Amino acid sequence: MIKRIFAFFLSVFILLGLSGLWFWHNYETFLKTPLPILETTEIDVSKGIHFNQLIKELEKKSIIEKAFYLKLHARVTGQARQIKAGYYRLEPGMTPRGMLELITSGRSISYSFTILEGSTFKQLLTAIQSNPQLKDDVSTLSTEALLKTLDIESTHPEGQFLAETYHFEKNGSALALLNRAHNLLQDTLNQAWDCLLYTSRAHETSLHLVC
């Protein structure tokens, strides 16, 4: 009788051990197997989205399979609470583990927009309208409304934005970009004015200051 009981528990123990090994093997294989994508794919991680909802969306798009393993890994590592909003680019060969590291790193896709030296405001608006990555929330505003929104005291927008290259995320606000360009222009002018004052004082006191 005792031998039978011992044999039973031994069998159960062995089965549990084999099941555990089988599960661990599948789990590790899943994390190391590339995502089922054949070309570069962009995903949108919405602000405030719950991790489980994100996984469902990725499943619907056939970007991941066996979501249970991905959920388990994210819970164990704490990455389920660390995802960051943004647009991310998935490349063929990327693994589920690599994808999680990407969307928790915040290294989202960024684009650039250049305000050309000497360009008119009309040309600037045209450039904004023709940029598919920018959200055009400027063209519908009147000149007066735009200047008021950006807190620009001038009565016209010409020469109010620094010619520079600006980086933004996909669907970034054109209004926010112009606000950055105007503030940067003000900072540049203030620095130039401070430099002029220092130079003037240096001349008066025979000191040599370099801006």
Side-chain angles (χ1 to χ4, degrees):
M1 183 67 178
I2 295 178
K3 288 184 178 180
R4 290 182 178 178
I5 294 176
F6 176 77
F8 172 76
F9 281 106
L10 180 61
S11 298
V12 171
F13 178 77
I14 292 174
L15 287 174
L16 288 175
L18 291 175
S19 297
L21 289 174
W22 174 82
F23 178 82
W24 181 257
H25 172 73
N26 284 352
Y27 173 71
E28 282 295 313
T29 299
F30 167 78
L31 293 177
K32 296 176 181 178
T33 301
L35 297 169
I37 56 175
L38 301 178
E39 58 185 16
T40 299
T41 304
E42 292 185 6
I43 62 172
D44 176 17
V45 179
S46 304
K47 186 176 182 179
I49 190 172
H50 191 276
F51 182 73
N52 287 342
Q53 182 60 38
L54 174 62
I55 295 303
K56 287 181 181 179
E57 292 181 3
L58 295 179
E59 275 189 300
K60 289 180 181 179
K61 296 177 181 179
S62 299
I63 293 176
I64 62 169
E65 300 171 340
K66 301 179 181 178
F68 171 77
Y69 290 120
L70 187 62
K71 291 179 181 179
L72 175 63
H73 182 71
R75 301 296 181 194
V76 171
T77 60
Q79 290 175 304
R81 300 185 299 273
Q82 299 172 4
I83 58 173
K84 295 177 173 61
Y87 284 84
Y88 296 89
R89 183 175 290 120
L90 308 181
E91 301 290 352
M94 178 177 283
T95 63
R97 178 182 278 128
M99 181 187 70
L100 276 179
E101 291 176 354
L102 178 64
I103 64 177
T104 56
S105 69
R107 299 193 304 270
S108 57
I109 303 171
S110 66
Y111 300 87
S112 61
F113 180 86
T114 301
I115 298 180
L116 300 176
E117 187 77 38
S119 60
T120 64
F121 184 67
K122 183 178 180 180
Q123 291 172 328
L124 178 56
L125 282 182
T126 300
I128 288 174
Q129 293 167 352
S130 61
N131 190 309
Q133 311 305 340
L134 267 176
K135 180 176 69 176
D136 181 10
D137 48 4
V138 174
S139 298
T140 55
L141 297 176
S142 65
T143 300
E144 183 180 356
L146 175 66
L147 294 174
K148 184 176 181 180
T149 301
L150 296 178
D151 197 24
I152 297 176
E153 296 180 358
S154 175
T155 56
H156 58 82
E158 300 294 344
Q160 296 298 324
F161 309 100
L162 185 68
E164 184 60 84
T165 296
Y166 302 87
H167 296 279
F168 62 95
E169 293 187 351
K170 190 172 183 177
N171 289 331
S173 165
L175 191 61
L177 188 148
L178 290 182
N179 186 53
R180 286 163 54 196
H182 175 67
N183 289 338
L184 190 56
L185 175 67
Q186 296 305 306
D187 290 342
T188 301
L189 292 176
N190 289 336
Q191 290 174 9
W193 179 249
D194 289 341
C195 180
L196 181 62
L197 289 178
Y198 278 123
T199 302
S200 177
R201 291 173 183 174
H203 178 72
E204 292 174 359
T205 59
S206 298
L207 295 176
H208 298 287
L209 298 179
V210 178
C211 296

